[in-house]
Amino acid sequence: MEIIIQRDAEAASRLAAGIVARTVREKPHAVLGFATGQTPIGLYGELVRLHREERLDFERITAFNLDEFVGLKPAHPASYHSYMREHLFRHINIDPARINIPDGLSADIPAVCRDYEDRIHSAGGIDIQILGIGTDGHLGFNEPSSSLASRTRIKTLTARTRRDNAEAFGGEDKVPHHVITMGLGTIMACRMCLLLAFGPAKAHAIAQAVEGPIAAMVPASILQMHPRAVILLDEEAAAGLQRSAYYRWVYENKPGWQKI
Ligand code: PGA
């Protein structure tokens, strides 16, 4: 894992957007995996700016989202369809036919999950998967105890994750219990993982995921096995790391050719 600690979320988001932008410029048909939640909003804002001001072209990219709630209409304001439209897709020139978000309304959820995996495979696999982390260490909506080899499937949210999502739904009781999420095996098959975490609420989960043992109880810890996982943190999310001085030194002293 490469652990990069930045002064604040804005600097980390800019760095993340630069990595995505370079991939899109080098590979106009890139397949991008998107995440939702508070964390990547700054990254998406920066991608929109790069599109408007520096003509970053999304016309030929393909998008796959990590997850979606079961039972929500795409137009529901708390759905991830709405989130992606609001924060990114309506501001850039992505082809709507190349947007993939799990269909949580289908009567046949297992078929939706199988089809999602097939579509990722047919698109050639995901080049960069953007990720957040739950306060409980979840990755996508792979809650603690998720199989480390899991593929896209239905999951049941923990009480903590439903509490963390209560605001978007106007109350914890309105948060769905079920979601469709890419599995940890699906995420591990992506060519690059870019995990962002900001703020003090993420410090414990980050410390466990980065410096603790690999364990299904901390799903994000599986990234220790990924050949190309970049963990982008602000000072607060990095506060629980034992070896932050080492990570900072490594990043600051990388030879130019190795800088991401
Ligand atoms: P957040 O969610 O960005 O809203 O904190 C992250 C997650 O649950 O994975």
Side-chain angles (χ1 to χ4, degrees):
M1 285 195 285
E2 177 169 14
I3 296 114
I4 303 177
I5 304 166
Q6 294 284 287
R7 189 180 57 254
D8 53 28
E10 202 185 319
S13 300
R14 252 197 322 271
L15 194 58
I19 296 168
V20 175
R22 199 178 57 211
T23 301
V24 171
R25 287 199 171 103
E26 283 170 3
K27 186 176 177 186
H29 282 96
V31 180
L32 302 180
F34 290 112
T36 49
Q38 290 302 310
T39 307
I41 291 177
L43 158 62
Y44 297 152
E46 179 63 8
L47 289 179
V48 171
R49 189 193 68 74
L50 289 169
H51 171 66
R52 286 188 182 146
E53 296 176 13
E54 298 180 23
R55 293 189 301 180
L56 184 61
D57 186 3
F58 293 94
E59 195 177 0
R60 283 177 286 169
I61 69 139
T62 299
F64 285 93
N65 259 77
L66 274 175
D67 43 24
E68 181 57 290
F69 294 99
V70 168
L72 287 196
K73 291 199 172 73
H76 188 290
S79 80
Y80 290 159
H81 283 76
S82 293
Y83 173 103
M84 289 308 298
R85 205 166 39 245
E86 275 315 301
H87 291 291
L88 187 62
F89 294 155
R90 76 184 177 90
H91 306 289
I92 61 174
N93 64 334
I94 189 169
D95 176 356
R98 294 181 196 264
I99 294 173
N100 299 278
I101 302 177
D103 173 10
L105 273 186
S106 170
D108 190 348
I109 300 281
V112 167
C113 297
R114 274 194 306 276
D115 177 59
Y116 209 64
E117 289 282 332
D118 289 346
R119 280 202 253 170
I120 293 172
H121 183 75
S122 305
I126 294 172
D127 290 299
I128 298 188
Q129 178 62 55
I130 294 157
L131 296 160
I133 186 170
T135 57
D136 62 0
H138 72 209
L139 200 59
F141 268 140
N142 294 282
E143 297 284 32
S145 79
S146 287
S147 158
L148 298 176
S150 48
R151 291 280 166 174
T152 303
R153 70 214 182 291
I154 192 165
K155 282 299 288 180
T156 305
L157 297 180
T158 60
R160 183 165 177 181
T161 297
R162 292 183 65 244
R163 206 159 47 239
D164 287 347
N165 281 274
E167 201 181 313
F169 284 87
E172 197 177 322
D173 55 323
K174 299 195 182 74
V175 181
H177 283 270
H178 293 108
V179 294
I180 296 174
T181 181
M182 282 186 202
L184 294 170
T186 319
I187 293 167
M188 288 297 286
C190 301
R191 282 185 274 280
M192 180 183 189
C193 288
L194 201 53
L195 185 145
L196 282 69
F198 308 136
K202 300 294 171 71
H204 182 65
I206 284 294
Q208 285 191 305
V210 172
E211 294 179 341
I214 297 171
M217 293 314 287
V218 185
S221 65
I222 191 61
L223 292 179
Q224 294 176 30
M225 295 285 290
H226 195 284
R228 204 146 175 245
V230 177
I231 316 293
L232 269 165
L233 308 171
D234 68 359
E235 300 280 355
E236 292 176 326
L241 293 170
Q242 302 288 322
R243 297 188 167 242
S244 55
Y246 171 70
Y247 310 137
R248 283 181 218 272
W249 198 94
V250 170
Y251 184 66
E252 281 158 18
N253 292 281
K254 278 171 92 166
W257 60 267
Q258 209 191 23
K259 285 209 194 312
I260 55 168

